[in-house]
Amino acid sequence: MRWPTLVLIATLLPSINLLGQSVKSDSLFIQQAKNRAVGVYERAIYRQEHVYEGNEYIPHDHRIKIHPFYPIDTLQRGTIAYNGTDYHDVPMLYDIVRDELSIQPPEGGYRIRIHTNKVSAFSIGPYQFVKILGDSALGAPTGFYQLLHNGSVKVFVRRIKTIHEDISSGAYKADYIPQDRFFILKDGVYHPVKTKGSVLSVFADKGKELKKFIRANQLKFKDLQREEAISRVTQQYEELTHKL
């Protein structure tokens, strides 16, 4: 072998070694990336499966024709804050007779009644609910409440249906009676409200102005109009007191 050839080989050897090291490094990087991706996937699957724990949801008496759910009796997708983790796109129903969620596992089968004590909040469709841990000082019992107005002063409603049974005719008859309860959270206290007078008593410092607002906007505090009236008066109070 001639001398120039030896020089050429000696020159190329480091490059060949570096190329081999580069290929090995790339392979190692790809394998590490795969391992990380698999780990993330497995953890995500575990967390997602974690929300599907609980007991079988037992339906109510089939003789009661009106459903016990809010807002409708078909599965809707939403988000659940469960045991410190948010689970998205979960098919669920909100039973407002029992104040509990039932969810449908991805593989089908029976619906699951998840552990209520591990749920801190959830949304179902466009409706947002939070759990309030109440006591006598706060003025609201523990349960899930729909957030209607989220300002410095908040408005909540607890969606409730109770079962009314009648056997006077000798045959069993029953119905679900809606009994929504509204609360205004102001200065750390939940004030139960229902009528115009009860709302104005919470906002007594702006009572005169709010009475004019109610008359001008023809707000009513009965039945289906109550929710809008309470929310609008609360928002107007914030505007009057610059508490937005």
Side-chain angles (χ1 to χ4, degrees):
M1 183 179 293
R2 291 178 296 177
W3 180 254
T5 304
L6 291 174
V7 172
L8 178 61
I9 293 174
T11 303
L12 290 176
L13 278 174
S15 299
I16 294 172
N17 289 334
L18 288 174
L19 179 60
Q21 291 174 2
S22 177
V23 171
K24 290 180 180 178
S25 298
D26 289 346
S27 299
L28 179 60
F29 174 80
I30 292 172
Q31 186 59 47
Q32 289 174 340
K34 287 181 178 178
N35 292 340
R36 284 195 296 270
V38 170
V40 170
Y41 174 78
E42 289 177 344
R43 288 192 296 272
I45 291 298
Y46 170 76
R47 288 197 300 268
Q48 190 67 20
E49 288 180 346
H50 188 60
V51 76
Y52 292 100
E53 63 177 6
N55 302 317
E56 179 180 358
Y57 174 79
I58 305 300
H60 291 262
D61 193 321
H62 65 88
R63 293 174 295 178
I64 308 175
K65 300 304 180 183
I66 301 176
H67 67 82
F69 304 107
Y70 181 84
I72 57 177
D73 61 345
T74 55
L75 288 167
Q76 295 188 87
R77 294 186 177 274
T79 298
I80 303 175
Y82 188 83
N83 204 26
T85 301
D86 290 342
Y87 298 90
H88 304 282
D89 203 31
V90 179
M92 70 179 88
L93 287 166
Y94 176 32
D95 184 332
I96 61 174
V97 174
R98 298 172 179 160
D99 198 26
E100 64 184 21
L101 290 173
S102 65
I103 62 177
Q104 183 68 58
E107 68 275 10
Y110 61 80
R111 292 171 185 165
I112 296 173
R113 177 175 60 86
I114 61 176
H115 299 300
T116 299
N117 63 317
K118 295 184 179 182
V119 180
S120 58
F122 66 92
S123 63
I124 183 166
Y127 309 106
Q128 297 182 358
F129 291 82
V130 297
K131 178 183 285 181
I132 293 176
L133 300 176
D135 56 36
S136 57
L138 288 175
T142 296
F144 294 120
Y145 290 74
Q146 183 183 347
L147 181 59
L148 298 179
H149 178 76
N150 189 19
S152 59
V153 180
K154 294 176 171 52
V155 179
F156 295 93
V157 56
R158 189 172 188 189
R159 303 294 184 185
I160 300 173
K161 285 183 180 179
T162 58
I163 301 174
H164 176 261
E165 298 177 311
D166 180 11
I167 56 173
S168 59
S169 64
Y172 177 82
K173 295 181 180 179
D175 203 353
Y176 295 113
I177 308 298
Q179 294 182 335
D180 294 344
R181 297 182 61 192
F182 295 85
F183 294 84
I184 294 175
L185 175 59
K186 181 175 179 286
D187 300 327
V189 177
Y190 292 88
H191 302 270
V193 293
K194 183 176 182 180
T195 64
K196 179 176 71 174
S198 62
V199 173
L200 291 175
S201 67
V202 177
F203 304 131
D205 54 322
K206 295 295 179 181
K208 184 177 180 179
E209 296 91 331
L210 291 176
K211 285 180 181 178
K212 291 181 180 179
F213 175 78
I214 292 170
R215 286 196 300 269
N217 291 274
Q218 299 181 338
L219 299 180
K220 306 297 181 183
F221 291 79
K222 294 183 178 180
D223 302 327
L224 297 178
Q225 297 172 301
R226 181 175 293 121
E227 183 173 318
E228 179 187 2
I230 295 172
S231 297
R232 290 189 62 184
V233 171
T234 301
Q235 183 175 359
Q236 180 65 16
Y237 175 79
E238 289 181 324
E239 292 178 2
L240 290 171
T241 56
H242 307 290
K243 289 188 175 183
L244 291 175

